Amino acid sequence: MTTSRTLIWRYYAFRTTNSAGFYLPVAIYFLVDNGYGTGFVLFSYAVFSLASVAAEIPSGYVGDLVGRRGSLAIGAGLRVVSIGAYPFAVHSVPAILTLHVLWATGRAFRSGTQDAWLYEVLQARFDESEFARIDGRGSTALLVTSAATAVAGGLLYTIDPAYPFLANAALAAAGLPILYTFPAVATEVRSDDTLGIREAAGVLRLQAERPAVRWLVAYAAVFTALFSVTRSLEQPALEAVGVPVAGLGVLYAAFKLVSAAAAATAGWFQEHLGARRVFALLVPAYLLAYGALAVVPALVIPVLFFNRSRRLVTRPLRNQYLNDRLANVGRATVLSGAAMALSTAAALAKFVVSAAAVGVGPVALLPPVGVALALLGGLLWVGTDPVRSPGGGERSRGPGAPAVSD
């Protein structure tokens, strides 16, 4: 048991190497300082989201085919290269967009595979019902690291704009030796259970036909789109309300610390409210937050805190909900398919908003976008019942097997 607990601590350590704290507070300012406008910033991050979509299925398939750890290592390696090269490619639009594609591909290799690995380790050594709690604590470790590195990143930027990116690349590289210590999970040692490409596509089709899976992903995609648009407009919005560049590192550190506290509550929310009540609260919470922002623009900073914290609470609950309805074989493929749907929603929203951002301004643009998407989420909740309580046979018994209660 001690060895197993040590494994969980190594998992937390690996999560800290996924931090974007060094470069995140200055990433958009870095582009703006080099002559790029808000429209290009949104466009470049929309390209990132679309590249994530394109990479999700092959990355999930690789996770099921060659093993979780190998897939995570590929993702970490791509992340090291793209972040490390970023400051040297900033004067070339094609190079920036290429690095965004490479960066997104690395993220895709980590997205579904990381969750699948953790869930299966918990099944084998602990209790899979602990997923939301442990995933939430991993997010807390990541965010605390990001808070510390955000302050350092702001200071490093004043010395040399390249330093935050190089420091983050070094942090990402530190995750590779940690991965080497992770044990194989059951699906990595049963090669006869590996899905072929056609079988993987069949798993996705069957899971998409299940209302308990399909409508949860659709509902989550609405709020992912809103989260993504808001994140892309954060730094221009903060500049518009008078936050100086020098203060961004401290502010982003505060973002991370508050988000870390929120992530640590994921297990509590899972135990006391459950996924259904938590997701039902998203509609009124977002309507209130973005409606208030329309009346009082100075509320943009509290709204940004809320937007980040909400995601860290609901992400583990969403993944727990999906994992409980999937079989081990094909798990990473299906989780990557869900991530693909979320990335598609984020990309489409950023493309639409990028056209309006220049003429309207970030602070004025956020309220109508937020209220409109929250209302869309409300319509989905009423019309589709996206979060369904499991009944007998709800969990899949084989690749893509539909549950009885669906």
Side-chain angles (χ1 to χ4, degrees):
M1 180 61 71
T2 300
T3 302
S4 297
R5 288 296 175 185
T6 302
L7 171 59
I8 296 301
W9 284 103
R10 293 202 303 273
Y11 165 76
Y12 293 152
F14 175 70
R15 287 290 297 274
T16 66
T17 68
N18 293 332
S19 167
F22 281 111
Y23 72 81
L24 187 61
V26 297
I28 295 176
Y29 268 103
F30 182 65
L31 293 176
V32 173
D33 286 348
N34 282 278
Y36 299 100
T38 303
F40 175 77
V41 169
L42 281 167
F43 177 80
S44 65
Y45 280 90
V47 169
F48 178 96
S49 296
L50 284 180
S52 297
V53 172
E56 281 294 354
I57 296 303
S59 66
Y61 176 72
V62 169
D64 283 324
L65 180 66
V66 302
R68 312 298 194 220
R69 296 166 301 169
S71 182
L72 291 172
I74 292 171
L78 291 175
R79 191 164 183 264
V80 170
V81 171
S82 55
I83 296 175
Y86 202 78
F88 306 106
V90 71
H91 298 297
S92 168
V93 169
I96 290 174
L97 297 180
T98 298
L99 287 177
H100 275 225
V101 170
L102 191 66
W103 206 332
T105 302
R107 178 180 178 273
F109 269 96
R110 189 179 73 245
S111 60
T113 304
Q114 180 174 277
D115 293 332
W117 179 88
L118 175 61
Y119 193 86
E120 289 164 23
V121 163
L122 293 177
Q123 275 188 319
R125 302 183 179 217
F126 299 98
D127 179 356
E128 63 268 30
S129 67
E130 292 286 287
F131 177 90
R133 182 178 65 85
I134 292 176
D135 186 42
R137 288 182 176 180
S139 295
T140 299
L142 168 64
L143 291 163
V144 169
T145 302
S146 295
T149 53
V151 175
L155 296 174
L156 289 171
Y157 191 80
T158 64
I159 301 172
D160 189 316
Y163 285 174
F165 296 92
L166 297 178
N168 228 123
L171 178 61
L176 290 168
I178 298 175
L179 278 174
Y180 181 76
T181 71
F182 282 6
V185 292
T187 51
E188 293 179 300
V189 298
R190 294 199 306 266
S191 57
D192 56 319
D193 285 343
T194 299
L195 297 179
I197 294 176
R198 184 173 298 179
E199 292 171 308
V203 167
L204 286 174
R205 179 181 59 80
L206 287 171
Q207 294 296 341
E209 290 174 354
R210 299 174 59 193
V213 173
R214 177 175 68 246
W215 292 119
L216 182 279
V217 173
Y219 184 76
V222 171
F223 293 98
T224 296
L226 180 51
F227 171 83
S228 184
V229 168
T230 303
R231 280 287 299 269
S232 297
L233 293 173
E234 268 183 357
Q235 290 174 25
L238 291 171
E239 183 181 29
V241 297
V243 177
V245 176
L248 284 177
V250 175
L251 181 59
Y252 270 75
F255 280 156
K256 298 300 183 182
L257 288 175
V258 171
S259 297
T265 67
W268 184 92
F269 278 102
Q270 174 72 19
E271 181 180 352
H272 291 85
L273 296 181
R276 183 173 181 82
R277 291 189 182 93
V278 170
F279 279 98
L281 290 172
L282 293 184
V283 173
Y286 269 102
L287 284 174
L288 177 62
Y290 284 77
L293 182 58
V295 179
V296 185
L299 291 174
V300 64
I301 293 179
V303 169
L304 295 181
F305 273 103
F306 162 73
N307 188 55
R308 286 169 165 271
S309 300
R310 186 282 306 169
R311 177 176 177 267
L312 271 299
V313 171
T314 58
R315 179 186 175 276
L317 273 66
R318 183 192 73 221
N319 289 337
Q320 175 88 61
Y321 177 94
L322 291 174
N323 269 303
D324 285 346
R325 289 156 178 80
L326 301 174
N328 283 348
V329 179
R331 184 186 304 279
T333 297
V334 176
L335 292 176
S336 287
M340 181 184 69
L342 301 183
S343 294
T344 300
L348 291 175
K350 281 184 280 194
F351 275 127
V352 170
V353 172
S354 64
V358 177
V360 177
V363 178
L365 187 61
L366 284 173
V369 172
V371 170
L373 287 173
L375 289 173
L376 177 59
L379 289 175
L380 276 173
W381 186 270
V382 172
T384 68
D385 191 20
V387 184
R388 306 188 179 202
S389 301
E394 171 66 28
R395 181 177 300 176
S396 297
R397 293 178 299 280
V404 173
S405 62
D406 286 351

